[in-house]
Amino acid sequence: IVEGLLLKYGVIINGKKVDFKSLSSANNIVRHAKEAIRKQGADFVYFEFYNNNKHLYLKELNVLSSKYNIHGKYYFKGEEEILEF
């Protein structure tokens, strides 16, 4: 049973179901996050982004947290800082 949960949700961190998404474009952030939370049953979404167009990524993350109440963490590939949204 645990194996099935890990496959469906991604990983479990501190008892929370987390889905990991690696995106090279800000275009589908909202769609991917909504799918992870609503369809896959994740509690949080962790994003890996490429460094280009950081302002577009941040704009979409703001929409996720303010409009959809979806939260998680993100980082930009090649950087060490992990941030929350």
Side-chain angles (χ1 to χ4, degrees):
I1 295 173
V2 172
E3 188 173 303
L5 288 174
L6 291 173
L7 292 173
K8 183 176 180 183
Y9 303 122
V11 296
I12 297 176
I13 300 174
N14 295 331
K16 301 291 184 182
K17 296 170 276 195
V18 179
D19 194 40
F20 179 79
K21 304 286 185 187
S22 180
L23 303 176
S24 60
S25 169
N27 292 338
N28 293 309
I29 291 173
V30 172
R31 180 178 64 83
H32 282 291
K34 286 169 57 178
E35 182 178 277
I37 300 294
R38 295 179 179 165
K39 291 184 180 176
Q40 295 177 287
D43 298 313
F44 295 99
V45 183
Y46 282 22
F47 284 106
E48 173 188 65
F49 299 131
Y50 290 86
N51 288 2
N52 57 340
N53 298 317
K54 284 185 181 182
H55 66 283
L56 293 176
Y57 291 117
L58 298 177
K59 179 181 172 186
E60 293 300 309
L61 291 174
N62 186 48
V63 169
L64 278 178
S65 60
S66 63
K67 185 175 180 180
Y68 297 104
N69 197 30
I70 294 175
H71 302 280
K73 295 185 180 190
Y74 68 96
Y75 67 93
F76 291 97
K77 193 169 180 122
E79 297 182 13
E80 294 183 16
E81 187 174 20
I82 297 173
L83 304 165
E84 294 185 20
F85 67 92

